[in-house]
Each structure stands twice: as structure tokens, then as C-alpha cells.
Amino acid sequence: MDLPFLLTSAPLIAVYALVVCYLVYAWSRKVAPEFTPSVNKTMPYVGGEAMEGSACLPGYQFFYVALFFVVVHVAALIIAVAPADAPLAGTLGYLGIIAVAITILRWEQ
């Protein structure tokens, strides 16, 4: 292999990027002002006023919704990349297994 190819290979480009990032990080630490602890630096700030904390919880159990979408999207991906000459029984069997998994997922709730 020739030298220009080796110097522009992906692993070396990643090393170059890490070195440049570290140099910028080291330089910015030298030019930045010293840190002084302050209460105002740790408080949330919104539009010039102190923000009061509040929680907004969804009305449904988000885990089940997220898992449902993952299962359905993975099933769609598997069916989409299945070869054209795949047996229909295999595809329908897979869809059946997914249907049972979704039913069990909804049943637990």
C-alpha cells in the first residue's frame, strides 16, 4: 500500500480528529476564565425568572407503547428484506409470532 492511502485511511482520520479535538479542548481550558462556584450557576433560568419544577407524566405507560413500535418496526424490516422466493408459510408464521407477541404485550397491561 502506498503512503497517501495509509495517511487518509478511516482509522487515521479518526485519530487526527481526536487529536485536533483534544488540542482545541486544551487550548480552550487555558483561555477560559477561572470557575467560581455560585448558586445562580446551578439554578434553572427561563426568560429572566426562576423556574419552578414541575413534572409532566404521560397518561399511558410509555414503555409498552415504545416496545410495541419496536416490535412492529422490526417485523416490517424483516418482512421487507425477506427474499422474493421465501416461502409464504414462513412469512405468515413470522407474522403470527409477532401477533402473539403483541397480544401478550397488550395483555400484561
Side-chain angles (χ1 to χ4, degrees):
M1 294 187 168
D2 54 348
L3 187 61
F5 180 75
L6 287 176
L7 291 177
T8 58
S9 64
L12 279 181
I13 296 293
V15 170
Y16 299 153
L18 285 174
V19 168
V20 168
C21 289
Y22 179 76
L23 290 174
V24 169
Y25 172 74
W27 173 76
S28 65
R29 286 193 66 166
K30 289 188 178 195
V31 298
E34 287 289 322
F35 174 75
T36 55
S38 171
V39 175
N40 293 330
K41 290 184 180 181
T42 59
M43 289 180 49
Y45 179 79
V46 178
E49 299 178 1
M51 184 179 86
E52 295 183 18
S54 63
C56 179
L57 300 174
Y60 52 89
Q61 293 176 340
F62 184 73
F63 172 75
Y64 290 110
V65 174
L67 190 58
F68 170 77
F69 279 111
V70 167
V71 168
V72 170
H73 283 91
V74 168
L77 178 68
I78 295 297
I79 291 172
V81 298
D85 59 348
L88 184 61
T91 305
L92 292 177
Y94 183 73
L95 284 176
I97 292 171
I98 293 300
V100 168
I102 291 173
T103 303
I104 291 171
L105 177 66
R106 290 300 301 162
W107 198 291
E108 277 189 31
Q109 195 177 12

